[in-house]
Amino acid sequence: MNTGNFTSQVEASFLFVFVISLVLLIGITVAMIYFIIRYHHTKNDKPKDIHGHLGLEVAWTVIPTILVMGMFYYGLVGYEKMDEIPEDAMKVEVTGRMWEWKFTYENGTTTDTLYVPVDQAVDLSLNSADVIHSFYIPGLKIKRDVVPGLNNHMWFAADQSKRYDVFCAEYCGDEHAYMYTQVVALPRESFDQWYAGSGSAAPQVTSADTAQ
Amino acid sequence: MASHAVDVDHREPNYLEVRGRHDGILGWIMSTDHKRIGLMYLFLLLIFFISAMTLGFFMRLEQWTVGQTLMDAKTYNTLFTVHGVIMVFLVVVPGIPATLGNFFLPLQLGAKDVAFPRLNLLSWWLYLSGALIIFLALFYGGLPDTGWTFYAPYNVRTTTNVPLAVFGVFILGFSSILTGLNFVTTMHQMRAPGMGWFQMPLFCWGLYATGWIQVLATPILGITMLLVLVEKTLHIGVFNPAIGGDPILYQHLFWIYSHPAVYIMILPAMGIISEIMPTFSRRTIFGYKAIAYSSLAIALAGSLVWGHHMFTTGQSFTANVIFSLLTFLVGIPTAIKVLNWVATLYKGSIRLEPPLLFALSFIFLFSIGGFTGLMQGVLNLDIHLHDTYFVVAHFHYVMFGGTIMGLFAGLHYWFPKMFGKMYQKSWANIAWALQLVGFNMLYFTMLVMGYNGMPRRYYDHLEYFNFGHKLATVGSWVLISGILIMFINLLHGLLKGEKAPSNPWGGTTLEWQIEDLPPLENFDEIPEVHGGPYDHNTEAEVAK
Ligand code: HEM
Ligand SMILES: [Cu+2]
């Protein structure tokens, strides 16, 4: 299911490596089991010293090289997009501190849940008040560290109206596991209404599916 | 490998019986015999392993329910930190070189001891001291709760005794450097006549590549730990941004050591697998030179990839791309090794004994570790996977499924040569099967949870992760019971086992040519070497 601007590409990268890995893993495992049965000493008591085979060794140097270069390329293409923040992105200041998140919008509104319009690019400006945290939205398959003294940025666009979990992904002390909030992606009109009212009433997600 | 037969009539007492300057326990803790030092390392290391495993058991138990199950958050955080610190710095880093390496390197080379026996004993004392210093924190300020990585600036914020632990790690570093230096020198200077570099057993090659990393990379850890101490005691800003330091600098310095350290952990284990595969196939290893060179390639390339731990920190785009590319390069020599091991079974005459079983599960588990490593090397995918259970599962596949399974394989392989006794093979097989099943139940589940977004170092979890956590916890019980059965079986073998023949597996390397247990100086007469280390069948033909 496609729920963010990066998800499909991350999933494609995963699938690419996963399929190659699965084929190779099955190949290796089946070969081991087959050899053990076929060349068990009860069936084969005359072993043969084979010191190597140039063709094979070249093959299993070259083929993995090609495969991993393919993986590298896949990752690079997907990552380039994560690094380029669109001009028209909506800007939100994010402050992480032990152990809570605070969001400040351009009109001065502050919240502890992040409200965004669906299909809108959002540019998060990440700052930490104390130690390193990491802003992680698993549903959108994106994260970035929140480092004191370093103003990192990350961006995303949610393409479904629902709630997404947000975890702190960099260990930050006692309550690290409770440094939790949500991204709530709203239909454009609901968002505008809420934003104009400066967060007077917390908006609701209409869609039934929450979290994940 | 042919060697002169040992003269049975004039046998010296073996290394366990021999009486030196000291008796009793002093005869051990003051001994410079590489075999006794190896066993002393093994003794401490297994105690540490079992302690840290127990912590792992309780961590898994805590995850049984949402909310508190057994302990509070602070305790949980201390548990995973201490678990990680013990497993990394006291178990897998000294790991195979200090234990089996110490015992078997000189034997495999046909040498009387390592190059610097007294330095070797000093390394052991440093190891013991480093460990004690870390545990002192238990009584002074509390054990650290920073995670085994001691990241800045949290390492300054926490109230626990980080400086003491860091100082302990600093001391352990010296132990590691001295061992590496000792082994590299030994291999350069003390190979038996006729043993060129490419007649050296592959276990030695693994130790050789490791030795260089120990010598070259560990000082960086030392310096980093010193800087942490300086910052914490003198308040000079190095890593803490509040006083002008740079926390990212800490991560660079930490991983410049700690990533190569991963190869310190794995290369010797790969060496053990390269011994076991030919022995139990009764044929020579496939691609000897490729395996030897790939150890060096891994050591070299592995020293240049540390930045792949930092893809999400905000380091520059270019840096991320370069580190990703280099990371994939490490995959190539690794793949070469795995394929050569599998090919070594081809046209062999296979004995499916416990050491081979452990070696096969090494290949299987380590391959999964390698493949999941590739996934984390993929830039956009790692942004998602970083700091989740996926990473935790990945490094358990590599360090536990790799290094520790390699150690278990080696223990079962060399047990008869170390103690002259044999364990019960049927129990070893049962233990192996339980470990394989439990391992995957625990860590494969964690891979899936990680992909679904479960962050690591979490005391608590959301409801929808609970099923996965329960499954993983049950897996940990199966795994741990397998490990306990294995240790009990080995202990039973040590105390009550039947006498083992000198060469129960038909090994071709020099250590197996020694009659019974090795004497104090290993060889009554330094052997002369002809041919490659794993020539099973040429020798059989000569005998005919
Ligand atoms: C029976 C065995 C084991 C169990 C049940 C176990 C379990 C765990 C658990 C539950 C965590 C915490 C995961 C998290 O929330 O981040 C963990 C972390 C870790 N484990 Fe293990 N583990 C075992 C063996 C090992 C072995 C053999 C090694 C190394 C060779 C190892 C190295 C580590 C490290 C380095 C960490 C990370 C600690 C940190 O985040 O600071 N573990 N383990
Ligand atoms: Cu945090």
Side-chain angles (χ1 to χ4, degrees):
Chain A
M1 191 178 57
N2 195 1
T3 55
N5 56 326
F6 302 123
T7 19
S8 63
Q9 254 179 330
V10 172
E11 278 162 5
S13 290
F14 175 73
L15 221 60
F16 180 69
V17 187
F18 180 74
V19 169
I20 292 173
S21 304
L22 193 67
V23 170
L24 290 176
L25 183 68
I26 291 175
I28 291 166
T29 312
V30 169
M32 288 196 297
I33 295 173
Y34 172 76
F35 288 160
I36 286 165
I37 298 170
R38 173 65 188 79
Y39 300 112
H40 195 260
H41 70 99
T42 51
K43 290 214 188 77
N44 189 36
D45 66 345
K46 285 226 164 40
K48 203 167 161 209
D49 272 344
I50 303 168
H51 288 271
H53 182 282
L54 190 64
L56 271 179
E57 285 177 62
V58 170
W60 61 47
T61 309
V62 173
I63 295 173
T65 308
I66 295 171
L67 291 178
V68 296
M69 285 307 118
M71 296 175 192
F72 166 71
Y73 181 74
Y74 245 83
L76 176 60
V77 171
Y79 181 65
E80 265 176 334
K81 237 174 75 177
M82 294 179 171
D83 210 57
E84 284 159 14
I85 302 173
E87 297 276 298
D88 61 347
M90 175 181 115
K91 291 189 166 43
V92 182
E93 290 277 336
V94 180
T95 309
R97 61 158 45 87
M98 294 152 96
W99 294 277
E100 62 188 16
W101 298 105
K102 191 123 254 122
F103 305 97
T104 311
Y105 302 78
E106 276 177 305
N107 71 353
T109 307
T110 63
T111 58
D112 47 22
T113 301
L114 177 59
Y115 296 101
V116 298
V118 165
D119 285 330
Q120 163 70 51
V122 182
D123 171 5
L124 300 182
S125 164
L126 307 168
N127 289 295
S128 167
D130 38 50
V131 300
I132 304 180
H133 305 277
S134 186
F135 196 81
Y136 178 31
I137 319 170
L140 302 176
K141 299 204 162 34
I142 182 111
K143 74 165 69 66
R144 184 128 247 188
D145 292 359
V146 182
V147 184
L150 197 71
N151 179 222
N152 279 339
H153 281 255
M154 70 188 270
W155 80 279
F156 64 87
D159 59 14
Q160 271 175 30
S161 171
K162 62 176 211 175
R163 292 170 170 272
Y164 300 88
D165 290 324
V166 174
F167 297 120
C168 174
E170 182 62 62
Y171 175 70
C172 58
D174 295 0
E175 305 285 305
H176 169 54
Y178 297 105
M179 196 163 156
Y180 169 83
T181 185
Q182 290 182 334
V183 175
V184 181
L186 298 164
R188 170 62 70 182
E189 312 84 73
S190 332
F191 177 83
D192 287 343
Q193 219 172 10
W194 168 78
Y195 194 62
S198 273
S200 46
Q204 294 300 310
V205 190
T206 40
S207 140
D209 53 346
T210 54
Q212 296 230 21
Chain B
M1 180 176 291
S3 65
H4 291 297
V6 180
D7 190 346
V8 187
D9 294 327
H10 297 91
R11 273 196 68 77
E12 295 176 37
N14 71 46
Y15 79 101
L16 290 174
E17 301 159 350
V18 86
R19 307 206 30 170
R21 258 189 307 158
H22 305 282
D23 283 333
I25 185 150
L26 281 182
W28 284 85
I29 61 175
M30 300 305 279
S31 169
T32 57
D33 177 14
H34 66 99
K35 299 180 287 301
R36 289 198 172 199
I37 293 176
L39 291 187
M40 290 196 296
Y41 267 115
L42 189 63
F43 177 74
L44 290 182
L45 192 129
L46 291 180
I47 290 176
F48 295 144
F49 176 81
I50 290 173
S51 324
M53 182 180 84
T54 311
L55 301 181
F57 169 80
F58 283 111
M59 275 152 26
R60 285 309 325 154
L61 218 51
E62 172 54 45
Q63 299 294 346
W64 187 255
T65 56
V66 176
Q68 177 166 349
T69 309
L70 292 174
M71 57 186 93
D72 59 13
K74 183 99 182 165
T75 311
Y76 184 82
N77 298 343
T78 305
L79 284 199
F80 70 66
T81 303
V82 176
H83 169 82
V85 168
I86 295 180
M87 284 298 192
V88 172
F89 295 112
L90 296 177
V91 178
V92 289
V93 167
I96 292 170
T99 57
L100 297 174
N102 250 319
F103 201 106
F104 287 102
L105 175 69
L107 294 176
Q108 288 201 321
L109 293 177
K112 287 180 190 285
D113 206 317
V114 292
F116 309 113
R118 275 194 280 187
L119 210 56
N120 204 16
L121 181 62
L122 177 65
S123 306
W124 183 82
W125 277 101
L126 287 173
Y127 173 64
L128 179 65
S129 316
L132 291 178
I133 290 171
I134 293 175
F135 294 130
L136 262 187
L138 191 57
F139 310 103
Y140 297 99
L143 289 162
D145 69 339
T146 55
W148 78 279
T149 46
F150 304 115
Y151 267 14
Y154 184 70
N155 65 13
V156 187
R157 297 280 299 221
T158 177
T159 53
T160 57
N161 202 336
V162 171
L164 207 55
V166 162
F167 184 62
V169 170
F170 178 74
I171 297 293
L172 289 172
F174 280 99
S175 168
S176 188
I177 294 172
L178 293 181
T179 302
L181 195 69
N182 216 336
F183 284 9
V184 168
T185 316
T186 306
M187 277 175 270
H188 274 275
Q189 297 293 326
M190 300 175 70
R191 280 171 285 127
M195 186 186 280
W197 283 101
F198 291 112
Q199 280 84 48
M200 207 166 68
L202 286 162
F203 180 52
C204 303
W205 269 106
L207 294 175
Y208 184 72
T210 303
W212 276 112
I213 314 178
Q214 285 176 305
V215 171
L216 295 176
T218 317
I220 299 166
L221 176 75
I223 290 164
T224 314
M225 295 295 123
L226 267 190
L227 287 173
V228 170
L229 287 176
V230 165
E231 172 157 61
K232 227 174 151 149
T233 49
L234 304 180
H235 304 285
I236 296 170
V238 185
F239 304 127
N240 182 8
I243 49 176
D246 179 358
I248 301 296
L249 176 66
Y250 176 83
Q251 297 189 16
H252 276 293
L253 289 175
F254 183 82
W255 289 114
I256 288 176
Y257 165 75
S258 292
H259 196 81
V262 173
Y263 302 102
I264 295 181
M265 302 166 197
I266 198 64
L267 285 166
M270 291 171 155
I272 290 179
I273 305 308
S274 306
E275 298 296 311
I276 290 176
M277 299 310 283
T279 300
F280 292 87
S281 309
R282 295 288 194 280
R283 51 154 285 184
T284 192
I285 189 118
F286 192 97
Y288 173 93
K289 280 200 180 172
I291 294 183
Y293 281 129
S294 62
S295 291
L296 296 180
I298 290 175
L300 194 73
S303 299
L304 304 172
V305 301
W306 74 88
H308 69 205
H309 294 271
M310 301 167 61
F311 287 158
T312 63
T313 55
Q315 79 182 345
S316 80
F317 181 80
T318 320
N320 276 354
V321 172
I322 291 172
F323 281 123
S324 169
L325 183 67
L326 291 171
T327 299
F328 284 109
L329 295 185
V330 185
I332 301 163
T334 310
I336 293 174
K337 275 187 194 283
V338 170
L339 294 168
N340 281 313
W341 290 326
V342 175
T344 300
L345 295 167
Y346 179 66
K347 296 212 166 159
S349 178
I350 295 167
R351 268 88 175 157
L352 200 56
E353 305 275 14
L356 183 61
L357 285 175
F358 278 99
L360 295 175
S361 62
F362 170 101
I363 296 177
F364 179 75
L365 298 174
F366 180 75
S367 296
I368 297 181
F371 291 133
T372 50
L374 291 177
M375 292 172 184
Q376 291 164 162
V378 176
L379 272 172
N380 66 342
L381 185 51
D382 184 67
I383 298 294
H384 172 50
L385 298 176
H386 181 74
D387 268 332
T388 66
Y389 264 35
F390 194 91
V391 176
V392 177
H394 155 75
F395 67 66
H396 280 93
Y397 268 101
V398 178
M399 300 201 295
F400 191 172
T403 309
I404 297 291
M405 287 299 161
L407 176 71
F408 291 173
L411 279 178
H412 284 86
Y413 180 53
W414 279 312
F415 189 87
K417 187 50 70 189
M418 291 193 287
F419 305 111
K421 307 231 179 116
M422 191 54 101
Y423 47 83
Q424 302 214 341
K425 291 179 188 173
S426 51
W427 280 106
N429 293 344
I430 292 170
W432 167 82
L434 283 173
Q435 287 178 25
L436 188 62
V437 172
F439 191 101
N440 287 295
M441 220 174 135
L442 170 55
Y443 296 116
F444 201 84
T445 312
M446 284 173 90
L447 280 179
V448 176
M449 278 195 275
Y451 187 78
N452 289 332
M454 175 70 213
R456 72 186 280 200
R457 294 173 173 169
Y458 259 38
Y459 164 65
D460 204 353
H461 55 264
L462 295 183
E463 185 58 45
Y464 59 83
F465 285 119
N466 189 253
F467 175 73
H469 276 292
K470 281 206 158 72
L471 196 63
T473 302
V474 175
S476 75
W477 301 338
V478 179
L479 172 62
I480 290 173
S481 47
I483 292 175
L484 292 180
I485 291 174
M486 180 189 77
F487 281 132
I488 293 169
N489 185 38
L490 290 178
L491 202 63
H492 182 265
L494 180 67
L495 300 174
K496 299 222 170 81
E498 280 175 30
K499 189 174 173 343
S502 295
N503 189 358
W505 319 119
T508 49
T509 40
L510 286 177
E511 77 273 26
W512 296 112
Q513 315 314 319
I514 298 172
E515 195 91 11
D516 291 331
L517 290 180
L520 180 61
E521 294 201 318
N522 302 342
F523 301 93
D524 301 341
E525 197 182 324
I526 293 298
E528 211 168 295
V529 174
H530 314 280
Y534 309 111
D535 293 345
H536 277 266
N537 303 306
T538 38
E539 196 182 32
E541 272 159 32
V542 171
K544 261 184 221 157

